[in-house]
């Protein structure tokens, strides 16, 4: 079946460091790909998305490129801030019918001042 | 803000008691979902709905039932709560675009003692 694999962490970085959170997927078709962010005590917020190969999603300084050849959708940010501390989830959806999202297990990111 | 509310936000109940969680949306979305979030598992789909009285099972549906008698309300029922159902429950709706992104409610933290 479909699955998403991401590094679980916690990932600890200093403020202004470069961030990469890896995400790879297995899917039978051509999924749409998403990154969600969850701040402490809150629900999930859609961070960015990409719907086809080579698409780049971006939002709030975060970027991710849909790489079909490596089945990957790695999340990057050039300079992280303490306020970026959160749990980040990679997810996919094949887009047919009413199917739900398939999520990775989440990566806990901690940014130290 | 996708206009999603969940109630209650927190609940403690005893093993064997029935529990109903409510998800309410104000924007007339057709598709609604229930997920549970557990450490080390990310989010997993319990049930989903593709219209009034139209529902189907997700990955972890055992022990749960759902009902949707109105477009705006999607109810999740634990017929006889067990400690393994202690979790955070999230409701989601599917956005109106063709990209199949989902928007989440604030969550309900359920503890079964």
């Amino acid at each position: 079946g479909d699955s998403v694999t991401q590094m679980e962490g916690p990932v600890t970085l200093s403020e202004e460091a470069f961030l990469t959170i890896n995400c790879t997927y297995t899917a039978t078709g051509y999924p749409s790909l998403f990154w969600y962010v969850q701040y402490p005590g809150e629900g999930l917020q859609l961070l960015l998305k990409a719907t086809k190969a080579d698409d780049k999603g971006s939002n709030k300084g975060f970027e991710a490129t849909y790489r079909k050849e490596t089945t990957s959708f790695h999340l990057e940010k050039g300079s992280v801030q303490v306020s970026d501390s959160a749990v980040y989830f990679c997810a996919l959806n094949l887009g047919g019918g009413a199917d739900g999202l398939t999520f990775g297990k989440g990566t806990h990111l901690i940014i130290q001042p | 803000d996708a206009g999603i509310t969940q109630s209650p936000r927190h609940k403690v109940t005893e093993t064997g008691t029935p529990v109903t969680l409510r998800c309410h949306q104000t924007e007339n979305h057709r598709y609604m979902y229930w997920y549970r979030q557990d450490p080390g598992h990310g989010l997993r789909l319990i049930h989903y709905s593709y219209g009034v009285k139209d529902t189907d099972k997700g990955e972890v549906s055992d022990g749960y039932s759902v009902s949707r008698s109105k477009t705006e309300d999607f109810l999740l029922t634990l017929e006889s709560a067990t400690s393994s159902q202690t979790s955070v429950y999230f409701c989601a709706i599917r956005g109106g675009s063709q990209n199949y992104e989902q928007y989440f409610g604030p969550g309900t933290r359920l503890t079964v003692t």
Side-chain angles (χ1 to χ4, degrees), chain A residues 10-25:
Chain A
V11 173
T12 303
L13 296 173
S14 297
E15 203 166 22
E16 299 184 1
F18 185 87
L19 169 70
T20 299
I21 300 178
N22 291 336
C23 171
T24 57
Y25 67 89

Side-chain angles (χ1 to χ4, degrees), chain A residues 44-111:
Chain A
L44 278 71
Q45 300 176 24
L46 178 64
L47 182 59
L48 53 82
K49 63 187 179 188
T51 60
K52 60 184 186 296
D54 300 324
D55 267 2
K56 177 184 284 188
S58 61
N59 186 25
K60 300 181 180 180
F62 291 90
E63 294 182 339
T65 301
Y66 189 142
R67 301 290 188 196
K68 182 181 172 184
E69 63 276 12
T70 55
T71 62
S72 65
F73 192 53
H74 305 321
L75 183 67
E76 297 181 335
K77 186 176 185 183
S79 177
V80 293
Q81 306 300 312
V82 172
S83 58
D84 294 326
S85 298
V87 181
Y88 292 81
F89 292 93
C90 186
L92 68 80
N93 182 282
L94 281 173
D99 291 352
L101 296 172
T102 298
F103 283 88
K105 295 182 179 181
T107 301
H108 186 196
L109 176 65
I110 300 169
I111 306 301

Side-chain angles (χ1 to χ4, degrees), chain B residues 27-70:
Chain B
E27 298 183 358
N28 206 35
H29 293 285
R30 177 182 176 188
Y31 300 98
M32 299 183 74
Y33 304 82
W34 277 108
Y35 295 85
R36 59 178 289 174
Q37 182 180 23
D38 303 289
H41 290 278
L43 277 79
R44 293 178 292 174
L45 183 66
I46 306 171
H47 280 279
Y48 61 95
S49 171
Y50 46 97
V52 172
K53 299 191 188 303
D54 291 323
T55 66
D56 207 345
K57 297 179 180 180
E59 176 189 357
V60 291
S61 59
D62 287 350
Y64 301 95
S65 62
V66 291
S67 65
R68 192 165 178 205
S69 58
K70 299 184 292 184

Side-chain angles (χ1 to χ4, degrees), chain A residues 36 38 49 95 97-98 101, chain B residues 33 35 37 94 100-102:
Chain A
Y36 283 84
Q38 183 180 34
K49 63 187 179 188
L101 296 172
Chain B
Y33 304 82
Y35 295 85
Q37 182 180 23
R94 195 172 89 180
Y100 303 102
E101 66 263 30
Q102 295 183 11

Side-chain angles (χ1 to χ4, degrees), chain B residues 64-94:
Chain B
Y64 301 95
S65 62
V66 291
S67 65
R68 192 165 178 205
S69 58
K70 299 184 292 184
T71 298
E72 57 266 35
D73 289 325
F74 191 31
L75 304 180
L76 177 71
T77 297
L78 290 66
E79 301 289 348
S80 178
T82 67
S83 59
S84 65
Q85 294 176 312
T86 292
S87 186
V88 181
Y89 292 86
F90 287 100
C91 174
I93 59 92
R94 195 172 89 180

